[in-house]
Amino acid sequence: MAMALRCFRHLPSLLYRSSFTAIRGMPRAPAGCPALLLDGCRQCVHQMLLTRQLATKKAKGKGQSQARVNISAALVEDIINLEETNEDMQAVVEALKEDFSRNLSVRTSPGALDHIIVMTKDGKFPLNQLGQISQKSPQIIIVNMTNFPESTAAATKAIRESGMNLNPEVDGTIIRVPIPKVTREHRESLAKLAKQSTNKSKEALRKVRSKSINQVKKFKSKVSEDTIWLLEKQIQQMADSAVAEMDKLLAAKTKELLG
């Protein structure tokens, strides 16, 4: 790690010269420096200087975006694992996709009830682990709670509060769930749920971003200010890309639900 950090200490003084002058005066990479992964410290600094110069230029036209930062993950692995950060963000996006697919459909199916979480005295369990779910008719879904009769009330409450516009009816250990008619109101209710799910996912994404940026800031005293700035910008770019993907998913799901 010490070797890697030595590479970054060269950056501050170089930022006040042209990138080409700086590179000519740049010492060779010390033995064992991770920057050798990019053919030496000179090339690493060149890449980071040019990135900084491009990214800090003001956009000349309205709506014109700034240049993207693209730091080698191998070069900064002692500060933060950028690949892991990206994976964590993508996991949030994939969870939203799964939620849309499983829980937000115009026509309610037995599978839509499988993963409704039921709060019991022994903890939280998916509904399909407590009851047998089947479809009695096109209009009725049955949840048989014979194996866990003590959880019937909790399961009924979970179904009613699932946000799927369901109104279960209880008969002993049998829960009957009438399937809602596909009305305009039902479609709009599902579209609202899709928006709520997306907002929750964005909040989860913000937590991943904040955690990563806080990790980078721990190295403020060990690496240059520009290194910190570039890393923060790249993490923000990852988050922005994930948000854009979520917005596309929401737009497609909303169009599907509203018909």
Side-chain angles (χ1 to χ4, degrees), residues 91-129:
V92 176
V93 176
E94 290 302 318
L96 180 63
K97 284 183 184 179
E98 186 176 354
D99 181 46
F100 281 178
S101 175
R102 179 188 297 164
N103 300 322
L104 293 174
S105 176
V106 173
R107 295 190 179 278
T108 305
S109 64
L113 275 63
D114 285 351
H115 300 280
I116 291 177
I117 300 300
V118 181
M119 293 287 296
T120 72
K121 62 180 180 180
D122 296 319
K124 300 178 180 179
F125 298 93
L127 181 59
N128 63 355
Q129 291 186 12

Side-chain angles (χ1 to χ4, degrees), residues 197-214:
S197 295
T198 303
N199 288 339
K200 287 180 181 178
S201 294
K202 287 181 178 180
E203 179 59 33
L205 183 68
R206 282 191 287 270
K207 289 180 180 179
V208 174
R209 181 199 61 190
S210 296
K211 179 181 176 182
S212 299
I213 288 179
N214 288 338

Side-chain angles (χ1 to χ4, degrees), residues 43-244:
Q43 184 172 337
C44 300
V45 172
H46 188 194
Q47 176 190 9
M48 299 182 86
L49 283 170
L50 291 180
T51 301
R52 176 63 185 259
Q53 289 171 352
L54 289 171
T56 53
K57 286 183 179 179
K58 293 183 179 180
K60 294 182 179 180
K62 186 177 181 181
Q64 183 176 348
S65 60
Q66 294 181 344
R68 292 178 63 83
V69 173
N70 186 19
I71 303 174
S72 166
L75 183 61
V76 296
E77 61 184 0
D78 289 327
I79 300 174
I80 188 171
N81 188 330
L82 289 175
E83 292 179 354
E84 184 177 299
T85 296
N86 189 53
E87 288 172 1
D88 289 344
M89 290 183 178
Q90 286 304 308
V92 176
V93 176
E94 290 302 318
L96 180 63
K97 284 183 184 179
E98 186 176 354
D99 181 46
F100 281 178
S101 175
R102 179 188 297 164
N103 300 322
L104 293 174
S105 176
V106 173
R107 295 190 179 278
T108 305
S109 64
L113 275 63
D114 285 351
H115 300 280
I116 291 177
I117 300 300
V118 181
M119 293 287 296
T120 72
K121 62 180 180 180
D122 296 319
K124 300 178 180 179
F125 298 93
L127 181 59
N128 63 355
Q129 291 186 12
L130 301 175
Q132 297 177 343
I133 305 172
S134 60
Q135 189 157 355
K136 183 178 180 180
S137 71
Q139 292 78 35
I140 297 288
I141 294 175
I142 297 293
V143 183
N144 188 334
M145 299 294 295
T146 302
N147 292 333
F148 295 93
E150 69 279 4
S151 299
T152 301
T156 304
K157 180 181 179 183
I159 295 169
R160 184 175 291 113
E161 296 177 355
S162 66
M164 298 170 65
N165 194 29
L166 302 175
N167 294 296
E169 303 167 354
V170 182
D171 182 9
T173 58
I174 301 298
I175 304 174
R176 291 185 173 84
V177 186
I179 298 176
K181 293 181 180 180
V182 183
T183 62
R184 184 67 184 178
E185 290 74 15
H186 180 53
R187 289 177 178 273
E188 290 175 351
S189 176
L190 291 174
K192 287 180 181 178
L193 287 175
K195 177 66 173 177
Q196 291 172 8
S197 295
T198 303
N199 288 339
K200 287 180 181 178
S201 294
K202 287 181 178 180
E203 179 59 33
L205 183 68
R206 282 191 287 270
K207 289 180 180 179
V208 174
R209 181 199 61 190
S210 296
K211 179 181 176 182
S212 299
I213 288 179
N214 288 338
Q215 169 65 21
V216 169
K217 287 181 177 178
K218 292 178 182 178
F219 287 80
K220 272 190 172 181
S221 61
K222 299 179 181 179
V223 300
S224 72
E225 178 183 345
D226 289 273
T227 302
I228 298 296
W229 182 88
L230 287 167
L231 284 170
E232 288 181 353
K233 185 168 180 62
Q234 180 140 341
I235 291 168
Q236 184 61 52
Q237 284 176 180
M238 291 178 181
D240 290 344
S241 295
V243 167

